[in-house]
Amino acid sequence: MRKNMVKVLVLVSKRRRIRTRELSEVLGLSYATVLSILRDLDRMGLVKLSRGFAEAPPFLADLIVQVDSRYPLEEILRGSVPLILSRLFEPRKVKDISMELGITEKYVRNVLNALSMRGVVEKINGMYVLAMDPQLRVLIMQIVRVLEGVEPEANVIYRDNYCIVKEVPRGFRANGIPTAFSVYDKYGIPIEPNRDIYLYPPKKISIEEVIVHSLLAAKSKQEYTLIALLYAKHYYTIDHPKLMFYARWFRQEEKLFQLERYVWGSEEPLFLPWSELEDLARLYGIDLSPYKRKQFSEDALREIGAKLSREIKAVLFGGAEMVMRGYKTSTKDIDIAFLSEPEMKVFIETLEILGYEQKSRNDIIVYEHRDKTRVDIYPNKIGKIPIIPRIIDRAIERKYGKLRLLLLSDTDLLLAKLISARPRDIEDVKIIIRKGNIDWKELVDTLLEEENITKHHYCLLVLTILEQIERELKTHIPQKRRLLRITTEHMVAHAYREYGLRDPRDIRRLINISEETIRRILKKKENT
């Protein structure tokens, strides 16, 4: 808070109820300035502003008056000082507070040394701790909750340097923007939760954030199953790399993996039995048929190839290819990409003759059959990446009647799975690394060529997944050092630009390079 704001708050608390005009006269501030301050304090819930009057909440007013009689509130409540003091309920080092709040050590030390002279904090063995004064501690806690957008009724679910996720009883007003279960009606699942979830400070949020915030907030199998319902309804429009980023940031990766397995038919401990998911899906009109197990067989490809009106060529990849290579025993869909639109149209016409029905048409064209494996059709792309000559050159051809299928090399199959970044694809990545024949140099070269074509940086995603797998499998990933070296600069810029990360410590949560290197890159960026 600013100095004049603290003065107004203290005076209103002492008087309990005072005219706005009188406040202006007593403090020697203009009426417009006082009115502006009161509006800010009213919005924060620290005073109540009515026509011509300002009134203090009794409990908070008593606290402020008591503490003001012993300590200099103008020094305690100004600027970022309350945030610093809120970290001192136990003895802490200046360095730790500086790192947590992103404030320079010099500033923190100067503040604490000055307040130690006033008896607000004590210095013990090189560490600082807030005075053992219950009223002072309660006041600091209440003020910080207000400054951080946390109302007295709110319960903080998650907090970091960038945001707070909090819950309040249904019907209570809260600062921030609704998220998690509070916005499911926006995505076609109207529910009435017993509490509201908010993100503070407010910003535009995506469905990927809503899902991860829901994983943070869920308290019962019923709620986790509602998340699965949302996930299933929007599965093919969700940005899965973005979802993985937020899951990693909020430490919800394992729950996301369980969510993915559950939606695709596995019984998981967090969720209700799959039969109850089906009941909920019927209630909300959500089609779960794409997620039900239908065993893939090459007979489906032979049947299509036999019905084609002319010979066509396509690229087979994903789970079906893994089954054909013996890397998996089953898959739920056939992923197939076409190099030309006329050939794709011939293929689609044949599917429809065989009784397949189109379920969606976005970046992926989805066809389903009551008894057969779903077919996902990708125009000119293998998942998210364009089909380029070096990928075609490495492919192996198989013929099924008039259907000529190019099967990706292990190298390109792995790259497609890495860039897709869906939790079930990451499980497939582990299998391909263990069983496949990977040309790691070609993988990195192809990745960089795809980035140049798409103007999209996938390196951060690929690198972080490979590092995670390296830890899980306790193995060494070749070319990782090269991948790190050649992508470091634009990945730091990507984290800075796309995700708004400014602190080197936060960027290090995504990419394992030194803070010194990150600072150098950020400084270079800010100077350009």
Side-chain angles (χ1 to χ4, degrees):
M1 286 191 283
R2 303 181 302 276
K3 183 177 180 180
N4 285 338
M5 184 178 284
V6 178
K7 286 182 176 180
V8 170
L9 177 62
V10 171
L11 186 53
V12 174
S13 299
K14 287 180 177 178
R15 297 289 186 89
R16 296 300 195 273
R17 190 169 188 269
I18 185 172
R19 287 184 178 276
T20 308
R21 187 71 64 184
E22 186 180 352
L23 265 173
S24 171
E25 294 168 357
V26 172
L27 295 175
L29 300 172
S30 71
Y31 182 82
T33 298
V34 169
L35 187 59
S36 175
I37 290 171
L38 287 173
R39 284 172 177 160
D40 287 340
L41 291 171
D42 179 71
R43 189 174 62 253
M44 296 161 71
L46 295 174
V47 302
K48 184 177 180 181
L49 181 61
S50 55
R51 187 179 295 273
F53 284 92
E55 190 173 353
F59 171 72
L60 189 60
D62 290 339
L63 262 181
I64 289 172
V65 171
Q66 291 292 330
V67 174
D68 184 61
S69 68
R70 300 192 294 276
Y71 305 103
L73 277 188
E74 287 184 22
E75 294 181 34
I76 291 173
L77 300 185
R78 65 181 173 85
S80 58
V81 175
L83 296 175
I84 295 171
L85 295 179
S86 70
R87 271 61 179 178
L88 296 177
F89 283 82
E90 299 292 337
R92 298 285 300 279
K93 293 180 180 179
V94 167
K95 182 179 180 180
D96 294 337
I97 300 167
S98 169
M99 290 181 63
E100 185 173 333
L101 295 175
I103 302 172
T104 66
E105 287 186 37
K106 181 178 179 181
Y107 178 77
V108 174
R109 185 173 285 105
N110 288 343
V111 166
L112 296 180
N113 285 338
L115 291 179
S116 67
M117 300 292 292
R118 304 291 197 131
V120 177
V121 298
E122 299 176 12
K123 188 175 182 181
I124 304 171
N125 297 326
M127 296 191 287
Y128 292 86
V129 63
L130 191 61
M132 294 301 294
D133 183 322
Q135 290 179 321
L136 172 64
R137 289 182 165 226
V138 170
L139 178 61
I140 292 298
M141 183 171 61
Q142 292 296 327
I143 292 295
V144 167
R145 285 173 68 87
V146 168
L147 293 177
E148 292 186 331
V150 182
E151 297 75 15
E153 303 84 9
N155 174 49
V156 174
I157 300 169
Y158 174 88
R159 180 199 308 268
D160 63 25
N161 291 337
Y162 292 88
C163 71
I164 290 173
V165 181
K166 57 187 177 179
E167 60 183 10
V168 295
R170 188 78 168 164
F172 276 80
R173 188 183 69 175
N175 291 321
I177 187 167
T179 186
F181 304 108
S182 299
V183 295
Y184 273 37
D185 57 340
K186 175 182 173 182
Y187 297 100
I189 304 178
I191 60 174
E192 293 187 7
N194 58 6
R195 65 201 187 284
D196 282 318
I197 315 296
Y198 284 86
L199 177 72
Y200 181 87
K203 72 180 191 73
K204 185 178 181 180
I205 59 174
S206 63
I207 187 171
E208 294 81 13
E209 290 167 280
V210 168
I211 290 169
V212 174
H213 296 160
S214 299
L215 292 172
L216 272 170
K219 294 181 178 180
S220 66
K221 290 188 175 186
Q222 177 76 19
E223 289 185 340
Y224 280 114
T225 305
L226 284 171
I227 302 171
L229 205 62
L230 177 69
Y231 192 52
K233 180 176 175 64
H234 298 278
Y235 190 86
Y236 291 101
T237 58
I238 288 169
D239 184 332
H240 288 275
K242 186 176 181 180
L243 179 64
M244 181 60 68
F245 165 81
Y246 284 114
R248 187 177 298 116
W249 183 265
F250 287 96
R251 303 292 189 259
Q252 298 297 302
E253 293 134 298
E254 181 51 41
K255 288 183 182 178
L256 180 60
F257 288 137
Q258 284 196 46
L259 173 63
E260 174 86 7
R261 292 193 296 266
Y262 177 69
V263 164
W264 288 97
S266 171
E267 299 288 354
E268 296 291 332
L270 284 178
F271 303 88
L272 295 171
W274 220 82
S275 59
E276 297 191 42
L277 175 66
E278 290 183 293
D279 291 341
L280 281 171
R282 281 192 289 270
L283 178 65
Y284 289 103
I286 296 171
D287 182 14
L288 293 183
S289 61
Y291 309 101
K292 293 180 180 179
R293 294 184 182 276
K294 295 186 180 75
Q295 192 72 22
F296 163 73
S297 168
E298 288 183 75
D299 290 341
L301 300 175
R302 295 186 185 98
E303 183 182 29
I304 295 169
K307 282 286 185 180
L308 287 169
S309 59
R310 66 179 178 89
E311 187 171 273
I312 62 172
K313 182 168 67 173
V315 179
L316 183 73
F317 64 102
E321 182 182 357
M322 291 186 70
V323 171
M324 292 166 66
R325 287 183 176 274
Y327 296 164
K328 295 175 70 171
T329 58
S330 64
T331 187
K332 301 174 182 66
D333 51 26
I334 298 172
D335 295 312
I336 191 164
F338 284 88
L339 291 81
S340 76
E341 188 170 343
E343 290 182 312
M344 185 177 75
K345 285 182 178 179
V346 170
F347 184 82
I348 287 174
E349 288 169 2
T350 304
L351 288 182
E352 291 175 349
I353 290 170
L354 290 170
Y356 286 83
E357 295 181 0
Q358 186 180 116
K359 289 296 182 180
S360 67
R361 189 183 183 101
N362 299 301
D363 293 338
I364 308 171
I365 305 170
V366 177
Y367 270 85
E368 293 178 8
H369 191 286
R370 184 178 60 187
D371 304 315
K372 299 171 185 176
T373 308
R374 190 182 77 246
V375 180
D376 293 348
I377 301 168
Y378 295 76
N380 301 309
K381 287 188 176 183
I382 299 167
K384 292 181 177 293
I385 58 177
I387 302 171
I388 57 177
R390 69 198 307 159
I391 290 178
I392 298 298
D393 291 343
R394 288 194 289 263
I396 302 168
E397 183 174 317
R398 288 194 187 179
K399 285 197 71 174
Y400 298 89
K402 294 176 182 176
L403 179 61
R404 295 171 55 202
L405 283 183
L406 300 176
L407 274 63
L408 295 184
S409 68
D410 287 335
T411 300
D412 298 314
L413 181 60
L414 175 61
L415 181 60
K417 290 284 185 181
L418 284 167
I419 289 176
S420 175
R422 294 173 298 189
R424 64 191 176 106
D425 287 324
I426 293 174
E427 292 302 312
D428 289 344
V429 164
K430 297 176 187 177
I431 296 171
I432 299 169
I433 289 174
R434 283 196 296 256
K435 296 185 176 183
N437 181 22
I438 311 300
D439 185 331
W440 289 97
K441 181 180 182 303
E442 271 298 310
L443 184 139
V444 175
D445 289 344
T446 306
L447 169 64
L448 295 178
E449 184 176 343
E450 293 286 6
E451 287 194 345
N452 186 53
I453 293 170
T454 62
K455 307 303 179 187
H456 188 99
H457 294 312
Y458 295 111
C459 286
L460 174 61
L461 179 66
V462 170
L463 181 64
T464 51
I465 292 172
L466 288 176
E467 286 182 333
Q468 174 188 335
I469 289 170
E470 193 175 50
R471 289 191 299 271
E472 290 182 11
L473 297 184
K474 295 181 173 58
T475 188
H476 169 68
I477 301 294
Q479 293 283 313
K480 195 190 78 171
R481 187 185 295 272
R482 174 177 174 239
L483 178 61
L484 176 62
R485 184 179 68 252
I486 62 180
T487 59
T488 291
E489 290 218 10
H490 69 248
M491 281 298 91
V492 171
H494 182 72
Y496 181 95
R497 183 179 62 255
E498 297 296 324
Y499 300 119
L501 303 184
R502 302 293 184 265
D503 192 314
R505 291 184 300 273
D506 296 326
I507 296 176
R508 278 205 71 193
R509 291 170 67 173
L510 303 177
I511 184 167
N512 189 25
I513 57 177
S514 70
E515 289 184 23
E516 182 181 351
T517 301
I518 295 172
R519 286 193 179 92
R520 174 178 57 78
I521 296 169
L522 291 177
K523 185 175 181 181
K524 180 180 176 182
K525 174 176 177 57
E526 289 167 355
N527 290 336
T528 57

